[in-house]
């Protein structure tokens, strides 16, 4: 390995190929325990390598562009993929769930990332893809997971707590009063994830900057900004999508509408 112009060590093609041997540990464990996961692990590894190499080529090209519409279009496409992917992970669906997810992802990520690049980090120009795209990607990845988990937890909570919710409604509670506890439970995973950020693992951006030669103190400052961005965007996204789901699965007459829930074909 040789130092790159940016200060980090460059991994040669041969050493990159050798790193693939590490997956044989997983394959060996699968074989020893007769889990039957060896083939799946190898296929997943190949797909991961191909996808990351393609992403690397695309980002290298994108970082050379200086056209705001093109860069914003790429960001919008990333947000759309995240919104669709979040719904694909849920066990139940309802009419409009994809639109709800897209709106929540795009609104929260655009607001938080926009404020960060224009008011906190301030790259020149503000749409500099070397800053905007990685920041947006980290926000979207975490928001996607939060929305998926929050939606699933909310819909499962309504189904498992149906008797309690309907009893409260029958006793005169509004739909919000009856569903408030379920909404709160749907938000708990997001809050819990915020509490352990930076404690259970060395965050990705901080690690990358240190490997690039940045001083740890400077890397920490960037990572603190990122963690606040992730926490804010995830909370906004989850609250938005759960709020929209609440409006869809209850009626203005204060009734529970679980008849609108369906299982996707081939779902769990």
């Amino acid at each position: 390995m040789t130092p790159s112009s940016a200060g980090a060590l460059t991994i040669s093609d041969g050493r990159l190929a050798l790193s693939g041997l590490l997956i044989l540990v997983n394959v060996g464990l699968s074989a020893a325990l007769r889990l039957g996961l060896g083939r799946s692990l190898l296929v997943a590894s190949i797909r991961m390598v191909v996808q990351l190499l393609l992403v690397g080529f695309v980002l290298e090209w994108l970082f050379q562009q200086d056209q705001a519409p093109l860069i914003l279009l790429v960001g919008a496409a990333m947000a759309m993929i995240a919104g669709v992917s979040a719904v694909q992970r849920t066990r139940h669906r309802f009419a409009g769930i994809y639109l709800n997810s897209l709106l929540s992802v795009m609104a929260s990520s655009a607001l938080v990332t926009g404020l960060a690049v224009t008011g906190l980090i301030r790259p020149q120009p503000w749409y500099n893809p070397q800053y905007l795209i990685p920041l947006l990607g980290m926000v979207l990845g975490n928001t996607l997971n939060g929305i998926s988990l929050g939606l699933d937890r909310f819909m499962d909570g309504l189904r498992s707590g149906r008797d309690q919710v309907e009893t409260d409604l029958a006793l005169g509670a509004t739909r919000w009063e009856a569903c408030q506890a379920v909404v709160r439970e749907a938000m708990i995973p997001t809050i819990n994830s915020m509490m352990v950020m930076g404690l259970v693992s060395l965050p990705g951006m901080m690690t990358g900057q240190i490997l690039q030669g940045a001083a740890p103190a400077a890397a920490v400052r960037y990572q603190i900004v990122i963690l606040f961005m992730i926490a804010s965007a995830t909370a906004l996204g989850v609250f938005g999508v759960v709020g929209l789901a609440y409006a869809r699965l209850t009626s203005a007459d204060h009734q529970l509408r679980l008849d609108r829930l369906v299982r996707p074909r081939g779902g769990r």
Side-chain angles (χ1 to χ4, degrees), residues 13 16 18 32 50 58-59 62 81 100 137 145 147 153 163 168-169 174 201 203 223 230 232 265:
D13 293 342
L16 181 62
L18 283 174
V50 172
V58 171
L59 288 179
L62 185 61
I81 293 172
N100 292 354
N145 291 329
I147 282 178
R153 197 173 179 113
D163 291 343
D168 290 343
L169 291 172
T174 65
S201 64
Q223 191 60 58
I230 289 173
S232 178
R265 186 171 299 177

Side-chain angles (χ1 to χ4, degrees), residues 56 65 76 209 237 244 265:
Q65 307 306 308
Q209 286 195 311
L244 292 170
R265 186 171 299 177

Side-chain angles (χ1 to χ4, degrees), residues 64-75:
Q64 297 172 359
Q65 307 306 308
D66 190 27
Q67 302 175 37
L70 173 62
I71 296 165
L72 293 178
L73 182 61
V74 171

